Each structure stands twice: as structure tokens, then as C-alpha cells.
Amino acid sequence: GIQVEQSPPDLILQEGANSTLRCNFSDSVNNLQWFHQNPWGQLINLFYIPSGTKQNGRLSATTVATERYSLLYISSSQTTDSGVYFCAAPSGSRLTFGEGTQLTVNP
Amino acid sequence: DGGITQSPKYLFRKEGQNVTLSCEQNLNHDAMYWYRQDPGQGLRLIYYSQIVNDFQKGDIAEGYSVSREKKESFPLTVTSAQKNPTAFYLCASSAGSGPAYEQYFGPGTRLTVT
């Protein structure tokens, strides 16, 4: 099955800083999902992005399917951005998740 | 409001007991999924169902069972055969199955077995 790797595993920022999270996948995919898991465990859908770039407020995501990677950009980070960010790639009828990036934004 | 509900939020059981976790969706989605998450790790697929009365094993199905008698409901039973049942369980659904469909998640159930 498809392999999904995320980097970095941990990231600590000061409020206001920008960051880039990376997701590499081992095979070509038709789309990619990015999620934010909040401290209560809820997975929030951030982006559903087959290719190209999408933006939602301070967050944007770019997927380059031909090169098998996706990037999540967080600008002007806030303490509420803290949590774990997951990317997930489809393999047949299922999603395969990466191990996540633990983001901590300090005030 | 459309969404996915899971109950209860926290569940405590003694070793050797079977326990059933509830997952209900009112999104009219055909496909439903159960994932397990252990501390500091990603999600792993337990079972999924593409249509009513049909389901398939995921990557870690041993010690679990499911049913899909109604479109909106996909309960998961953690049996006494599951060696390490303590974990965070997440249910998800999508309009259809396959890579073209976005998955949405419920709030999860934290199961502790002692």
C-alpha cells in the first residue's frame, strides 16, 4: 500500500511566526487531505487537494502530485493553531495517514 | 445540523468484557470507517463499509467486529480477543468510497480497559 511520511515530527513556534509542514507519499494519488487534530482529539478537515494550491485564511496547501509531495503553510501562527497536523492519502477505498506533525505555538 | 456523532466520549471497561462503540451520521453518506489512534501515532483503519450490509477488514481488524444494518449507523464492538484495546477510536464517513471522496470525522471515543 501507499506510504505517507510527514516532516518535521515536532515544531515549536512563537506566535506570529510562519511555518511549512511537508507530506511525502510513495505513489501517485488522486487527492490528499490535510487535517488538524485539536487538543480534544477532534479531526478538523483543512484541505482536500488533488493538485495545485488552495487557501483558507492564514492556511494554504500545495500538492505537487507528479513529485509526490504536499506542503501545508501556516502564516502568522496563533496559539490556537497548536495540535497535530495529519496528511492522508487515498489507497483504494481507504485513507492512509502519516504520523503527524505536533505543532506548539507559544504566546 | 449534519454531522457524525460518537458515544460515549469516554468509556471504561474491565478486561474480558466486550464493549460496543456507537457511530451515527446524518450526512446521508454511503461509506463509513473506523480508525484507531494510539498516543503519538497516526490513525490506523480497523473496518470500513461502502454500503449497507457490507463491510471489509482494514489493517488491524483482529479482535474487532462491526455491523452495518442501517445507512446511518456503523457500531464497532471491541471484543475480549483484542489484546490492547485501550486507545482513541474515531469514526468517519464519506459520500462514496474511493479516492474521489473526502472523509469527515466524528469527535471520537476514548476507551480505557483495565
Side-chain angles (χ1 to χ4, degrees):
Chain A
I2 193 168
Q3 307 295 316
V4 179
E5 291 183 358
Q6 292 186 244
S7 60
D10 297 280
L11 188 57
I12 300 174
L13 303 173
Q14 285 301 121
E15 202 166 23
N18 302 329
S19 62
T20 301
L21 282 58
R22 187 176 179 102
C23 175
N24 292 332
F25 36 94
S26 61
D27 205 349
S28 58
V29 297
N30 292 322
N31 68 66
L32 194 87
Q33 286 192 244
W34 281 99
F35 299 91
H36 175 215
Q37 188 168 40
N38 65 23
W40 297 271
Q42 173 83 55
L43 274 172
I44 310 297
N45 289 47
L46 296 177
F47 293 101
Y48 171 79
I49 176 168
S51 64
T53 297
K54 288 189 176 180
Q55 178 133 18
N56 185 2
R58 296 180 295 104
L59 273 62
S60 66
T62 295
T63 294
V64 184
T66 53
E67 297 188 23
R68 302 179 185 175
Y69 73 89
S70 183
L71 301 174
L72 178 68
Y73 304 97
I74 304 175
S75 64
S76 304
S77 58
Q78 300 175 357
T79 56
T80 51
D81 294 331
S82 295
V84 184
Y85 289 80
F86 289 104
C87 66
S91 177
S93 300
R94 60 179 65 188
L95 280 181
T96 298
F97 282 77
E99 294 286 297
T101 292
Q102 173 77 57
L103 175 65
T104 303
V105 181
N106 292 322
Chain B
D1 278 337
I4 302 168
T5 56
Q6 293 186 242
S7 61
K9 200 167 196 169
Y10 299 94
L11 192 52
F12 298 89
R13 281 293 183 269
K14 293 289 186 187
E15 201 172 310
Q17 293 179 333
N18 291 353
V19 59
T20 297
L21 281 59
S22 166
C23 177
E24 305 275 333
Q25 54 97 1
N26 62 4
L27 301 167
N28 199 33
H29 282 176
D30 284 327
M32 297 186 73
Y33 311 81
W34 274 106
Y35 293 88
R36 169 184 173 135
Q37 187 180 29
D38 292 291
Q41 297 187 25
L43 280 67
R44 292 182 291 166
L45 183 65
I46 305 172
Y47 268 99
Y48 64 101
S49 168
Q50 296 172 294
I51 54 171
V52 174
N53 292 322
D54 186 49
F55 48 83
Q56 286 81 40
K57 292 182 180 179
D59 300 319
I60 55 165
E62 186 175 349
Y64 299 98
S65 66
V66 293
S67 63
R68 186 87 187 276
E69 297 176 3
K70 298 187 293 183
K71 186 175 185 177
E72 59 270 24
S73 178
F74 191 40
L76 173 74
T77 296
V78 185
T79 75
S80 56
Q82 167 50 234
K83 291 189 169 62
N84 296 297
T86 295
F88 187 46
Y89 291 88
L90 287 149
C91 177
S93 71
S94 59
S97 60
Y101 297 95
E102 190 173 359
Q103 287 190 25
Y104 298 89
F105 283 79
T109 293
R110 292 193 187 276
L111 173 65
T112 302
V113 177
T114 56

